[in-house]
Amino acid sequence: NLIGSGRRRVHMGNLGLDENGVRVPHAGNSIQFDIEGPGTNAGVSNSNLLSDELWQADNRSAYEGRALLVVRAQRQPCRITIRATSPGLEAADLSIQTVQWESPDGE
């Protein structure tokens, strides 16, 4: 579960895997990220410090088989579904349930 405070984020790592579930370290595919539900894309990355790709985007090239999406949850409890797609590869979906944020001072 992710606490829906409007400030909490979850970092979604994406690994390029082969049909046997083994990471493909040379994968550099462009990955498209789509979010369904009241979550927002807080940024993307891929661990390549020399990359000139935008951080605020809905796609990212994998670097050494890795890419990252940061998702920010809204305040209301909900289900957020993330889909990662890349041409020629099977799409991957992940669902996250958010829970209501409880303020420590009762606000």
Side-chain angles (χ1 to χ4, degrees):
N1 288 344
L2 176 64
I3 297 173
S5 68
R7 290 177 283 192
R8 301 285 176 117
R9 296 169 306 281
V10 63
H11 296 201
M12 310 301 301
N14 178 307
L15 295 176
L17 304 176
D18 67 14
E19 64 275 0
N20 297 314
V22 177
R23 185 171 71 89
V24 181
H26 302 296
N29 307 58
S30 178
I31 301 168
Q32 172 74 33
F33 296 103
D34 295 299
I35 300 172
E36 291 181 20
T40 58
N41 176 341
V44 292
S45 184
N46 65 4
S47 301
N48 182 355
L49 299 177
L50 302 178
S51 175
D52 61 357
E53 293 177 278
L54 297 174
W55 288 77
Q56 293 296 313
D58 59 3
N59 62 358
R60 189 69 167 203
S61 295
Y63 176 69
E64 295 183 350
R66 294 187 174 114
L68 174 77
L69 169 68
V70 180
V71 177
R72 180 178 295 121
Q74 302 301 309
R75 293 185 178 271
Q76 67 271 30
C78 65
R79 179 165 299 283
I80 300 170
T81 301
I82 297 103
R83 173 167 270 234
T85 57
S86 183
L89 299 176
E90 185 177 331
D93 295 313
L94 176 69
S95 289
I96 303 167
Q97 180 64 46
T98 67
V99 296
Q100 182 68 41
W101 180 65
E102 301 286 334
S103 173
D105 56 7
E107 291 182 18

